Amino acid sequence: MLQDVADLRLTDSDGQVRVPKQLVVVGDSSCIPSSVAEAGLKLPLVAKPLVADGSAKSHAMSLAYDRFGLSSLDTPLVLQEFVNHGGVLFKVYVIGNAIKVVRRYSLPDLGEGDQVGFGVKSFPRVSSAAATAEEADLDPEVAELPPQRLLDCLVAELRTRLGLSLFNFDMIREGGAGNCYYVIDINYFPGYGKLPDYELLITDYLVELARRKGKKLGSGGPALAFEESPSAS
């Protein structure tokens, strides 16, 4: 799915969108260091499992600092180059035509001296952590949301390329400032529980979907009540 982002050539969108240099590894763990070297990836690397079954393992992520750490990782997995981004990521939720962005705390930036670490450091589900950065006292440049025009262009392209109307993606700003962004993860039909007012957004989407398909919503039932609510009008 990230390859679809890598193939984009957005113009007049108030910013650039990229994906981190990455590598999929399905073989034995012992081959990871050589595969990384051949692909030209630079350490440290973020390791993400290819498993997508909603289990705890599917959300386990690690930061590998050296070749010894790489050899200890479980395959199959995806390796991504780490990009400094000010310790904040943007979760972009797409529900039909609606686009909503929520700030989340992320991994802190790594200084030059931190680049040379040892082994592997595991970390929890950073992007879905309960702690939000919405009310945090952040540097204005770090806290600034991606330009709406950029989001509109990116989402329109992804809707078409992925054939999805319900999805979200994690986006970071390189260096925590500027107009260069990276999409680091995409999820289809994600959990919307941490998105404020998601119930109304989902309801509006379903009502509009039913209208477009020419289906009758019936009368007197909950669906009609939703349709007549001010938020859905």
Side-chain angles (χ1 to χ4, degrees):
M1 293 169 74
L2 284 177
Q3 188 59 46
D4 285 298
V5 180
D7 293 339
L8 293 179
R9 296 294 182 268
L10 300 180
T11 58
D12 300 324
S13 57
D14 297 337
Q16 302 175 359
V17 179
R18 304 171 179 173
V19 297
K21 194 170 183 179
Q22 60 182 6
L23 174 68
V24 175
V25 181
V26 297
D28 188 84
S29 298
S30 61
C31 74
I32 297 179
S34 60
S35 297
V36 167
E38 291 176 7
L41 270 65
K42 298 179 180 179
L43 295 166
L45 296 175
V46 177
K48 304 178 180 181
L50 281 182
V51 179
D53 57 5
S55 64
K57 182 179 180 180
S58 68
H59 296 290
M61 299 170 66
S62 305
L63 192 62
Y65 286 93
D66 53 34
R67 60 180 292 112
F68 303 105
L70 292 174
S71 298
S72 68
L73 297 172
D74 293 328
T75 59
L77 52 72
V78 177
L79 297 172
Q80 289 182 343
E81 287 188 345
F82 181 84
V83 178
N84 279 340
H85 53 281
V88 171
L89 65 78
F90 306 101
K91 293 195 77 69
V92 182
Y93 292 91
V94 179
I95 306 176
N97 293 321
I99 304 173
K100 300 295 180 181
V101 185
V102 178
R103 298 182 190 87
R104 295 284 182 196
Y105 285 116
S106 182
L107 296 177
D109 287 349
L110 299 176
E112 290 299 325
D114 299 321
Q115 297 289 348
V116 183
F118 297 95
V120 174
K121 180 179 180 181
S122 299
F123 50 88
R125 299 173 59 178
V126 174
S127 65
S128 61
T132 176
E134 290 299 312
E135 304 299 329
D137 185 17
L138 299 171
D139 181 290
E141 281 191 307
V142 174
E144 183 180 4
L145 297 178
Q148 188 61 48
R149 182 174 178 81
L150 177 66
L151 293 175
D152 290 341
C153 293
L154 176 57
V155 169
E157 286 285 351
L158 289 179
R159 280 199 198 100
T160 300
R161 290 170 178 263
L162 300 176
L164 299 174
S165 296
L166 297 172
F167 63 98
N168 83 336
F169 54 90
D170 294 343
M171 174 181 271
I172 58 176
R173 180 188 288 113
E174 184 178 24
N179 66 350
C180 182
Y181 297 85
Y182 284 80
V183 175
I184 59 175
D185 201 8
I186 303 178
N187 300 288
Y188 57 88
F189 200 57
Y192 290 100
K194 294 185 175 66
L195 176 65
D197 300 323
Y198 77 92
E199 301 95 336
L200 296 177
L201 294 169
I202 291 288
T203 299
D204 290 350
Y205 166 71
L206 294 176
V207 169
E208 180 59 28
L209 185 64
R211 284 174 175 158
R212 292 202 307 266
K213 289 183 176 295
K215 294 181 178 179
K216 295 181 179 180
L217 295 178
S219 60
L224 183 60
F226 281 132
E227 185 183 18
E228 295 177 342
S229 66
S231 63
S233 60

